[in-house]
Amino acid sequence: MNYESVMKLALERAFYFPSCEVYGDAQAGFWEYGPTGVSVKNKFLELWRRELVRRDRMLEIDGSQIMSKSVFEASGHLGNFADPIIKCKKCGLTFRADKLISEIANVEIPESADLEDFDKMIQEKNIVCTKCKGEFESAKKFNMMFRVGIGPEDEEAYLRPETCQSIFVDFPRLFKTMRGKLPLGIAQVGKSFRNEIAPRQSLLRLREFYQAEIEVFCNPGKLNELDKFSEIENTTLRIQISDDIQVMTCKEAVEKGVIPNKFVAYYLGLLTEFYKKTGIDMEKSRFRKLGEKEKAFYADVAFDFEVNTTIGWLELVACNYRSDYDLSSHAKKSKEKFEVMDNDEKVLPHVFEISMGIDRSLYTILEHSLKEDKENERMVLSIKPYLAPTHVGVLSLVKKDGLSEKTDEIYRLIRTKFDSFLDHSGAIGRRYRRLDEIGAPFAITVDHQTKEDNTVTIRRRDDMAQERVNISELESILAKETAYP
């Protein structure tokens, strides 16, 4: 399915929709999750916790969304967290320079390139304002931080542009109180805020968005001393090398020098195993190593996990080896100590980051799962059962003859254990198709035979197969079919 089909589903079935859409002055780049979207998001995060956080015995925190100016002075965001913009001399319209050049001239320039590179390309390609055909002023940097004033004195603070900074400033306390031992992963889920110049395409570029970030603190002298590497050494990675995607195991990638060490390869392997279980088509995925001008200002080595969609390759996860950039910066600014003991060695840890965009991941899952079944004239969201917003629909064949009451009874039996939807109205075929479209893997139908032998029909979404089961079996069947892997 394409982007337009996913948007239609999202709006009509309450997955997500624009914020404040009833008002004409609503700003772009803010979207809200409806009930179906919230259900998928929560299940996605539970899978993330199972496959990454708990598997690797990480700690999870929940930090503040507003942080002091000092945090972002130390992190470098106040000085470096900026996008290139150009402003029309005639009408005053502002554009993000790298995106406009890509769209008009089909030339890719990294957003971190020198400002002169943007000016030169605009002149060479004769790029003008798309609204009035006017010329542009010289490119300049626009800081994307949202400033807030605290208290009556309007003390300067900022909405966080990434969730990881609270992990870094909290690290000394967490390591001490949780009896930490390197390597130590600390995770956080929450909202981040970036004043994007031109937010677009719903969940794909937002000003307020969800991240699931993991920062793994390690001893830089032991990056190839990792016993648990054996758990994923045979996991296959799809790695972009030059113009080709090469498939190799984690072990092969380290031996060939494609990935610098076992430590980085281990976490790329974990990430791959996680995304395999989301239902994303992994044949359309790749790890792309970023060049010097593409990397974030804090990264020594960076890989982006990207997935191909109908609107191009989307970056879902940024994987950055941040070395000691963050801890040393905060130690210098705060005058606090960030070194810890690793056995008998005192060390300032290095950090490997797995920064996941939740919204983009959910969009990609929807696009890769949405199918058109022309033969049966239906749209089917073939999402993994454990991620489905509704596990099961409970339907009465007709509302009369006591079937409605029996259906209500079955619904009450399972509603606290599974995400269930009760539906009495309309033709049964239309009700099945509504459930198919929101991804419900099962439908239970109560009919006249139910009153005779206490059995119901359970219908499967993907192949529409139906079987007769006893009501007493429903809980065990649904539990098995909707369990996380």
Side-chain angles (χ1 to χ4, degrees), residues 54 260 411:
R54 294 178 199 147
Y411 174 70

Side-chain angles (χ1 to χ4, degrees), residues 298-342:
Y298 45 71
D300 276 6
V301 177
F303 289 87
D304 279 353
F305 177 72
E306 301 175 333
V307 178
N308 203 5
T309 68
T310 56
I311 53 176
W313 287 95
L314 288 182
E315 174 205 331
L316 303 191
V317 188
C319 305
N320 299 304
Y321 187 77
R322 301 175 72 124
S323 67
D324 65 354
Y325 174 88
D326 301 280
L327 296 192
S328 62
S329 297
H330 286 300
K332 182 178 179 181
K333 179 73 175 176
S334 67
K335 305 294 190 284
E336 297 291 336
K337 295 186 183 299
F338 280 73
E339 295 93 345
V340 297
M341 295 302 297
D342 183 28

Side-chain angles (χ1 to χ4, degrees), residues 230-255:
S230 60
E231 296 177 19
I232 56 85
E233 64 180 8
N234 294 317
T235 297
T236 56
L237 306 176
R238 295 171 53 82
I239 305 176
Q240 180 88 38
I241 300 176
S242 298
D243 295 328
D244 298 322
I245 295 176
Q246 296 188 19
V247 180
M248 62 186 74
T249 65
C250 290
K251 184 178 181 181
E252 291 169 340
V254 173
E255 291 173 346

